[in-house]
Amino acid sequence: MQVHHTKLWLAGHANNWTLAAYELTKIKETIEEVKETIVDIQTSSPQWRRVPVGEMLRTFDSNLNSLEQAIKAKDASKFGITYREITATCNACHMSA
């Protein structure tokens, strides 16, 4: 995830909207995979049962949609704002976990 997150920033910063869209797609795919597998992980690991990972990941949906709109509009300013919001959401999730 971090590699795609970094590449997304680099692509947006360089106004490479095609690459930014690709990296956003990869991030969305990864989040969906985690959402699908977190139940199994939480069932088998008492440590993870207390962490609402699925709920935390759902908070990304609106941020990702905003970022997707910025990329489609090729809006560097909006991209920067929404990218920072996603980074803050990522960090909050890591701190909670």
Side-chain angles (χ1 to χ4, degrees):
M1 179 81 86
Q2 288 177 322
V3 170
H4 295 298
H5 187 83
T6 301
K7 287 181 178 181
L8 175 62
W9 181 85
L10 293 169
H13 196 70
N15 295 324
N16 184 340
W17 303 114
T18 302
L19 179 57
Y22 172 79
E23 293 302 336
L24 180 61
T25 299
K26 299 309 283 181
I27 289 170
K28 285 181 173 184
E29 288 173 354
T30 302
I31 289 172
E32 288 305 313
E33 287 175 15
V34 173
K35 284 180 184 177
E36 292 171 5
T37 59
I38 194 61
V39 174
D40 294 334
I41 293 168
Q42 288 179 316
T43 300
S44 64
S45 174
Q47 171 187 352
W48 284 100
R49 285 186 195 139
R50 298 183 310 266
V51 181
V53 176
E55 289 176 35
M56 289 187 274
L57 290 175
R58 280 189 285 283
T59 64
F60 277 96
D61 293 339
S62 64
N63 288 352
L64 292 172
N65 290 336
S66 294
L67 189 56
E68 184 175 31
Q69 291 171 4
I71 291 168
K72 285 181 180 178
K74 300 178 181 179
D75 185 336
S77 178
K78 186 175 179 183
F79 175 87
I81 292 166
T82 56
Y83 182 86
R84 284 189 293 278
E85 289 171 355
I86 285 180
T87 301
T89 303
C90 287
N91 290 338
C93 185
H94 284 281
M95 287 189 291
S96 293

